Amino acid sequence: EDQVTQSPEALRLQEGESSSLNCSYTVSGLRGLFWYRQDPGKGPEFLFTLYSAGEEKEKERLKATLTKKESFLHITAPKPEDSATYLCAVFTSGTYKYIFGTGTRLKVLA
Amino acid sequence: DSGVTQTPKHLITATGQRVTLRCSPRSGDLSVYWYQQSLDQGLQFLIQYYNGEERAKGNILERFSAQQFPDLHSELNLSSLELGDSALYFCASSPTTGGGNEQFFGPGTRLTVL
């Protein structure tokens, strides 16, 4: 069964303290892995798409990487405005559906 | 602003009632997806339409139905509502049928069933 697991569930960082969020997946036929940011009570906001192992994408303080079994979202020198829930999703050719992880709740303290 | 609109923003109703949620996709997007997000379950895929046709089905209850109209807007109908249906309902759109395209989410409809 296709599965996406995100860790940790919650993370508290001091401003400027870099860290990584993990998204591990077990799927049949990965067609794309997606990262979204979601603020409380709002819709997820698209961040990155990764298609193949070894691929990397960057945007401001965020960098996403992909291996054959997992993806990492690296946050460098985070600021309080980076506080949000970060969601990982995969699209598979097996089920032809998007499957979301339960997210990592990030809190960055000033 | 993603370009996806959803109405209403909030909906409060009673058990046993029926409601309709509306979604307008981004201009040019042919696919519409519906998701349910509750506190304990995360984002659950319900159903996808592409250019008016049902494309994929997720964990959608038989009490729920959806359709996509010729102008590409979509409606999600929820009937015989139960307390457990209280959740945020999101609509998302993408240019094609999926297959690796990012989705753009609307602001959501918060449904409260009393």
Side-chain angles (χ1 to χ4, degrees), chain B:
Chain B
D1 184 359
S2 67
V4 178
T5 61
Q6 289 187 249
T7 57
K9 288 191 73 173
H10 302 277
L11 202 48
I12 301 175
T13 188
T15 55
Q17 295 298 305
R18 172 190 168 94
V19 297
T20 298
L21 313 183
R22 184 188 168 106
C23 166
S24 292
R26 292 188 322 159
S27 176
D29 284 358
L30 298 177
S31 273
V32 168
Y33 309 78
W34 286 99
Y35 290 88
Q36 179 191 59
Q37 188 175 44
S38 51
L39 280 174
D40 57 345
Q41 289 233 321
L43 206 58
Q44 299 290 316
F45 169 66
L46 296 178
I47 197 164
Q48 178 203 353
Y49 278 82
Y50 173 74
N51 204 19
E53 300 289 325
E54 183 183 304
R55 191 68 177 85
K57 234 173 181 176
N59 302 321
I60 189 167
L61 300 172
E62 284 191 14
R63 300 183 285 111
F64 296 0
S65 65
Q67 55 183 327
Q68 186 180 28
F69 295 87
D71 66 353
L72 301 178
H73 91 271
S74 178
E75 292 181 357
L76 179 67
N77 300 296
L78 314 177
S79 61
S80 302
L81 286 167
E82 302 175 357
L83 295 178
D85 297 328
S86 295
L88 268 169
Y89 290 84
F90 289 106
C91 163
S93 73
S94 70
T96 63
T97 61
N101 291 304
E102 58 269 23
Q103 299 174 295
F104 295 89
F105 284 80
T109 293
R110 182 175 293 280
L111 173 66
T112 302
V113 183
L114 300 175

Side-chain angles (χ1 to χ4, degrees), chain A residues 31-32 34 36 38 41-46 49 51 87 91 95-98 100-102, chain B residues 33 35 37 43 45 55-58 88 90 97-103 105-107 110:
Chain A
R31 295 283 298 275
F34 308 86
Y36 291 85
Q38 186 175 24
K42 298 195 174 180
E45 175 190 343
F46 170 73
T49 307
Y51 292 108
L87 298 170
F91 186 89
T95 60
Y96 212 77
K97 296 172 188 173
Y98 291 91
F100 278 80
T102 51
Chain B
Y33 309 78
Y35 290 88
Q37 188 175 44
L43 206 58
F45 169 66
R55 191 68 177 85
K57 234 173 181 176
L88 268 169
F90 289 106
T97 61
N101 291 304
E102 58 269 23
Q103 299 174 295
F105 284 80
R110 182 175 293 280

